[in-house]
Amino acid sequence: MTPQNIANHPSPQRAPSLFRENLQAFFASKLALIGFVMALILLLAAILAPWITPQNPYDLLQLDILDSRLPPGSENGLGSYTYWLGTDGQGRDLYSAIVYGLRISLIVGIGSAIIASILGTTIGITSAYFGGRIDAILMRTVDLMLSFPSILIAMMILAYLGKGVSNVILTLVILEWAYYARTARGQALIERQKEYVEAAQNLVIPKYRIMLKHILINCLPALIVIGALQIARAITLEATMSFLGLGVPITEPSLGLLISNGYQYLLSGQYWISLFPGIALLLTIVSLNLIGDRCRTLFNPRLR
């Protein structure tokens, strides 16, 4: 082949990676794009809370009881800034309280999901790989955990442990790990029957390496889907517990506790105390559910 022909010969195109293909397919959905943008905005707002809010609602020295239950657009007593979303019964700026409360809700949801996913995935893959009596004991424990109502168990645990962010995360981990274990076991049972696992066993590769580097990798798509959905579920449960007075302490209110603080003022026309935190909670849960639903469609060939 002459140099001229080589120059005119088109170079082979690099095949797109699987990650890039899935990313493009994810953003091809307008609903998924909207959910991702909303979730990103809420996450950035929670991270940048000290720099984008005029007040630290957790600092009691910055609160003025004389500014309590002011309608949206009112100025504070000193006239230094405006309460664009009004104030609650303790004189907190609702905009600042929502942003800081969103941080608590996301910490609880994401933190509990990460810990529960590690624990549940380990139990599920171990159960599927070894089988036999170990599988029977672990799965009966999972069935037992899934048979109880989540809210009832959460109320019992928090009534014993008391209020606190760490106690709420621990409670949610106890409630959520079984979902990850059931999903991981189902996927691991499919992968365990494939030839590459049998080949790895014949090569006398340690069992933990087979479970981590072979089976776990192929179980990740399903775990990512359930993880996105479980974060939204954890935030919902935390808001429910805080609304009932069993979640985070009143000095560090989450979105659920902010809604609870304004519930008693709804009939008196002071709607904003519960309305705006409720909208923030709704946007958070909807955005996470949109992301999780799109991931479920992408990783399920039948739905795709």
Side-chain angles (χ1 to χ4, degrees):
M1 184 179 291
T2 62
Q4 183 177 2
N5 292 334
I6 295 176
N8 295 331
H9 186 71
S11 59
Q13 296 182 353
R14 180 178 300 177
S17 64
L18 183 61
F19 174 77
R20 184 178 301 177
E21 288 183 355
N22 288 329
L23 195 63
Q24 293 175 351
F26 177 87
F27 289 115
S29 171
K30 293 182 179 180
L31 289 178
L33 181 60
I34 293 173
F36 178 80
V37 172
M38 283 196 305
L40 183 61
I41 292 174
L42 294 172
L43 180 61
L44 290 176
I47 294 174
L48 301 176
W51 295 277
I52 63 175
T53 56
Q55 180 191 85
N56 183 358
Y58 299 159
D59 187 359
L60 299 180
L61 296 179
Q62 297 186 24
L63 305 183
D64 189 355
I65 193 63
L66 297 178
D67 290 342
S68 62
R69 301 195 298 276
L70 293 179
S74 303
E75 292 187 353
N76 68 331
L78 300 177
S80 55
Y81 56 86
T82 302
Y83 299 123
W84 295 110
L85 299 182
T87 61
D88 63 2
Q90 287 74 38
R92 294 188 183 93
D93 174 33
L94 266 183
Y95 164 66
S96 303
I98 288 172
V99 176
Y100 275 83
L102 180 64
R103 170 186 284 189
I104 295 293
S105 297
L106 290 177
I107 289 175
V108 169
I110 297 175
S112 62
I114 292 175
I115 300 174
S117 64
I118 295 174
L119 177 62
T121 301
T122 303
I123 293 175
I125 293 179
T126 302
S127 176
Y129 187 83
F130 291 99
R133 184 175 298 179
I134 295 177
D135 181 39
I137 294 174
L138 293 177
M139 286 303 103
R140 295 300 75 77
T141 305
V142 169
D143 294 337
L144 182 65
M145 291 299 303
L146 295 178
S147 64
F148 291 106
S150 300
I151 295 180
L152 177 61
I153 298 301
M155 292 176 62
M156 294 173 59
I157 296 174
L158 288 174
Y160 175 76
L161 296 178
K163 298 181 180 180
V165 176
S166 59
N167 291 339
V168 174
I169 292 178
L170 177 60
T171 302
L172 293 175
V173 169
I174 295 174
L175 295 175
E176 290 183 350
W177 71 266
Y179 293 94
Y180 293 95
R182 174 66 63 82
T183 304
R185 176 183 179 271
Q187 294 295 316
L189 284 176
I190 298 174
E191 299 299 326
R192 190 176 182 274
Q193 305 301 324
K194 295 184 178 180
E195 291 79 2
Y196 72 89
V197 175
E198 183 178 355
Q201 292 173 341
N202 292 333
L203 293 175
V204 200
I205 296 178
K207 295 180 180 180
Y208 74 91
R209 291 188 59 186
I210 297 177
M211 289 190 291
L212 292 178
K213 294 189 176 182
H214 297 278
I215 297 179
L216 176 60
I217 297 299
N218 291 283
C219 295
L220 285 180
L223 295 174
I224 292 174
V225 174
I226 193 174
L229 297 175
Q230 286 300 313
I231 291 175
R233 181 176 181 270
I235 293 175
T236 305
L237 283 175
E238 182 276 326
T240 303
M241 292 300 100
S242 297
F243 183 85
L244 296 175
L246 295 173
V248 296
I250 194 172
T251 55
E252 297 181 359
S254 64
L255 295 178
L257 188 56
L258 291 175
I259 297 173
S260 177
N261 291 339
Y263 180 74
Q264 57 184 328
Y265 302 113
L266 284 176
L267 297 180
S268 62
Q270 299 169 347
Y271 61 90
W272 60 87
I273 303 177
S274 289
L275 176 63
F276 294 126
I279 293 175
L281 179 62
L282 177 64
L283 292 177
T284 304
I285 295 174
V286 168
S287 63
L288 293 173
N289 281 329
L290 289 176
I291 294 174
D293 187 65
R294 183 56 179 171
C295 291
R296 182 172 63 89
T297 303
L298 288 178
F299 294 137
N300 191 333
R302 295 180 181 179
L303 296 177
R304 187 172 181 183

